[in-house]
Amino acid sequence: TKSLNRDSNGNFLYEEPIGSAPSRPLGTAFDNTSYAHRHKNALFITLDVFETFRGDKSYFDRENGTGGEGVLSCTVRGEHLVWFENVLQQARADLTISHIFVQGHVPIAHPVRQINCSGQFLDNGEDSELWRLMNLYEVDIYFAGEVHANTVIKSQSSNLIQISSRGNVFNNFLQILVEEEKIHIVAFNEIGSKPRWNDEHDIHGNLIIDKSLGIVTMDSDGALEILDRNSPLIHITFEGAVPLETRQIIGMTHDDIGEKLIGSRISMRDGILSSQAMANQGEFGQQYDGQIVNIPLESGIIGYAGLFSDESRFAFYSTGPFSGGDVASVSLWINTVHAQKQMILVHYGAIFGSSIDKTTKDFYTLVLDNGVPTVYLGKKKILKSTGHNLLADGQWHHIAVSMPTKSCLLSQVNIYVDGIKTITWLLDSDDYIFTTTSGRLSLGGFGYSAKYFDDIFPEMETYSGYMDDFKFHSRPLTSNDFVNIIPLVSSPAPAPTEIGDNLCQDYKKKFRFNGTKRTCKWVQNNWKTRCVRDEARENCPVTCREACQCFDTPGMFWFKGLKTDCKLTQESQASRCQSNRVRSHCPVTCGICQ
């Protein structure tokens, strides 16, 4: 910073105060890296948003979705924040200052496009004091970097704009034109046949902020179009594939990167080569096109659908869109007959690393486990839908998984099947959600994520079946999102049995619980903790709020230390059906229901 902020004699370059406010936060750890400077009718404030937590080598607050970057966290607080507000107050008292620009390294508002980055963000985001002050004092633009991609977000409470931009080796940059009552920002993107340094650029997007009429009006297009955060960020319709080189992913490290700027091929998982892309119709646009291999298109539930097999690959090279505790919702249509497999539907995982045990952040994997929608955030963080266990029936079914709030518990996540919210069951541990900030998304497999996922989950297979209309939202899903879903369902999944149904009864006698004879009344006294164990759920389904199934489990289950299934149970029905474990897995075979 000394080489940038000081002259050859060591004098600080930006000492001119803003009114009565000093140009930098003197006496703080940031007095060399945060500063304000006026140029004509515009004020520029540079903020060092990196704070070192020297007393805590692993600052991480999952419940509030902050930290997670070791000793560093991104925040502006204390005397640093007091100085910042003082500068803003003085600037707004000066009528000759028409525009205020603030720049920091990391984005504050989310979601933002990302590629090849760590995905750091400001703690507390739009709930932070820094964001509140910029809204209060009518800052025009907050500029961020970090994510290596362009996104424009408008504040929900003022005309404040956040621009996250690429600005990388002159292949993508912004031009800012400032007038008395207007700001015009132009994004440029490199074009040409050489891999880099073509010295030729196209206009990639525009943002115009006009104050000339006494009110602020905005016009945006292309890469600088203001993001609609209510619409899906990613929307894959499976209506067609195009050559990879016809739709550039800016920043992609493709296989022919040494030969040309825009790649025509890229190696995917297991070395399978892709030369095709599927267009993203969502708000994140072309930057989040998917790279595909061996996915033929056939008639689907809405137009065409993709047919996945063991040799299929579908992955998104850009980083995200999951990020920390941010709200994430996914939805898709599936049609498969593979009931005795654990198949990957949606996966988001870290790009790098050698072991999941070395990270404290979550991955996100939605699988169809023997026909049951199941979410994994870790090896022992598993949420399962208990009311709809027959989705591998050769019919179209719609699955949606949605976080109701930011940084919610895994147990609070909602799973919907065919537009209806299901009863869910948490297996093992619960925790506040905080996904890795440097991962990649894929459909039907592990995609571009780290190789250790194959070793950790050898039982998880690539998806086999049809898939259609995948969406990713950065907001909770509501009933309005399913209005058009229910009429399309040709064969609805079985509805969950209501608690209290005569087919769903607690066992009246004592049963073994962790080696001790217990009753369901005892389980009820602390049901949230005790119902985690299989023996409590199987013997006390009403107490444990379990959805009793009126169909046999299609796969294998453990019985007396051995794997068995309901077909084997038919051979010795009279004896084996005395076991509550067998009765819970095989209610049809055991004559409990039809």
Side-chain angles (χ1 to χ4, degrees), residues 139-151:
V139 169
D140 292 284
I141 299 175
Y142 171 74
F143 289 101
E146 167 64 24
V147 293
H148 307 165
N150 299 312
T151 308

Side-chain angles (χ1 to χ4, degrees), residues 294-334:
N294 299 326
I295 303 180
L297 302 180
E298 299 186 9
S299 180
I301 188 74
I302 305 172
Y304 287 101
L307 178 57
F308 286 69
S309 66
D310 290 344
E311 298 300 315
S312 298
R313 300 290 184 272
F314 194 129
F316 302 85
Y317 188 87
S318 289
T319 315
F322 288 86
S323 180
D326 287 354
V327 172
S329 300
V330 300
S331 63
L332 71 164
W333 285 92
I334 64 161

Side-chain angles (χ1 to χ4, degrees), residues 1-17 23-24 31-32 34-38:
T1 56
K2 291 183 178 180
S3 62
L4 296 174
N5 301 339
R6 296 180 180 273
D7 61 21
S8 57
N9 296 318
N11 299 312
F12 199 82
L13 292 173
Y14 310 110
E15 291 284 23
E16 187 71 26
S23 65
R24 48 197 178 113
D31 58 5
N32 278 311
S34 288
Y35 51 91
H37 175 66
R38 176 175 178 171

Side-chain angles (χ1 to χ4, degrees), residues 1 22 33 40 42 48 53 90 104 116 134 162 171 179 197 239 247 262-263 266 288 372 393 439 480 541 552 560:
T1 56
T33 51
K40 297 182 178 179
D48 179 356
F53 287 74
Q90 294 299 310
N116 299 333
M134 287 195 291
Q162 173 185 280
N171 61 22
E179 301 177 13
W197 310 119
E239 294 307 301
R247 291 177 62 87
I262 303 175
I266 185 170
Y288 282 76
V372 182
D393 59 359
N480 291 333
D552 288 350
K560 293 185 176 181

Side-chain angles (χ1 to χ4, degrees), residues 7 49 74 97 196 229 251 282 331 339 418 449 498 505 556:
D7 61 21
V49 299
C74 300
I97 295 179
R196 61 187 303 181
R229 291 189 275 181
S331 63
D418 296 335
S449 64
E498 293 292 335
Q505 299 178 354
M556 306 290 286

Side-chain angles (χ1 to χ4, degrees), residues 72-354:
L72 280 178
S73 191
C74 300
T75 185
V76 176
R77 60 179 184 166
E79 291 302 311
H80 194 190
L81 188 69
V82 170
W83 165 80
F84 178 67
E85 182 173 14
N86 193 13
V87 171
L88 292 179
Q89 286 176 336
Q90 294 299 310
R92 280 299 168 226
D94 187 340
L95 298 180
T96 63
I97 295 179
S98 304
H99 313 293
I100 300 177
F101 303 107
V102 179
Q103 58 181 352
H105 184 72
V106 297
I108 300 175
H110 268 202
V112 292
R113 299 176 183 91
Q114 307 174 48
I115 191 163
N116 299 333
C117 68
S118 66
Q120 283 186 300
F121 54 84
L122 194 89
D123 284 352
N124 300 310
E126 291 171 272
D127 293 324
S128 67
E129 279 298 294
L130 178 61
W131 188 258
R132 184 187 69 82
L133 289 176
M134 287 195 291
N135 279 279
L136 178 64
Y137 291 101
E138 299 179 335
V139 169
D140 292 284
I141 299 175
Y142 171 74
F143 289 101
E146 167 64 24
V147 293
H148 307 165
N150 299 312
T151 308
V152 177
I153 293 178
K154 182 182 178 299
S155 171
Q156 298 177 7
S157 55
S158 77
N159 289 313
L160 171 62
I161 288 288
Q162 173 185 280
I163 300 179
S164 305
S165 61
R166 179 166 173 77
N168 190 281
V169 294
F170 297 105
N171 61 22
N172 194 280
F173 58 88
L174 301 180
Q175 179 188 58
I176 304 174
L177 307 171
V178 181
E179 301 177 13
E180 183 62 33
E181 297 179 315
K182 184 182 292 187
I183 304 166
H184 183 189
I185 301 177
V186 186
F188 290 92
N189 187 48
E190 184 179 12
I191 59 174
S193 57
K194 297 187 296 185
R196 61 187 303 181
W197 310 119
N198 284 278
D199 295 327
E200 188 175 358
H201 300 81
D202 265 350
I203 292 179
H204 198 44
N206 291 273
L207 172 65
I208 299 173
I209 302 172
D210 192 341
K211 308 177 186 179
S212 61
L213 299 178
I215 59 171
V216 177
T217 61
M218 299 181 186
D219 189 21
S220 62
D221 61 53
L224 299 183
E225 185 169 359
I226 297 173
L227 192 72
D228 176 5
R229 291 189 275 181
N230 191 56
S231 296
L233 305 183
I234 299 177
H235 185 190
I236 303 298
T237 62
F238 291 94
E239 294 307 301
V242 297
L244 194 65
E245 58 192 334
T246 62
R247 291 177 62 87
Q248 181 188 17
I249 307 294
I250 299 172
M252 174 189 280
T253 305
H254 46 81
D255 286 14
D256 40 10
I257 193 168
E259 304 169 16
K260 50 188 174 181
L261 180 64
I262 303 175
S264 59
R265 62 186 188 274
I266 185 170
S267 295
M268 304 188 74
R269 204 171 198 87
D270 303 319
I272 297 178
L273 197 65
S274 168
S275 60
Q276 288 189 308
M278 197 162 284
N280 171 30
Q281 305 296 336
E283 283 291 300
F284 270 5
Q286 184 172 322
Q287 190 66 25
Y288 282 76
D289 283 359
Q291 296 78 57
I292 66 169
V293 181
N294 299 326
I295 303 180
L297 302 180
E298 299 186 9
S299 180
I301 188 74
I302 305 172
Y304 287 101
L307 178 57
F308 286 69
S309 66
D310 290 344
E311 298 300 315
S312 298
R313 300 290 184 272
F314 194 129
F316 302 85
Y317 188 87
S318 289
T319 315
F322 288 86
S323 180
D326 287 354
V327 172
S329 300
V330 300
S331 63
L332 71 164
W333 285 92
I334 64 161
N335 184 336
T336 183
V337 295
H338 298 282
Q340 297 188 12
K341 292 184 176 183
Q342 192 176 80
M343 299 186 295
I344 303 164
L345 299 177
V346 181
H347 174 70
Y348 171 80
I351 306 169
F352 307 108
S354 57

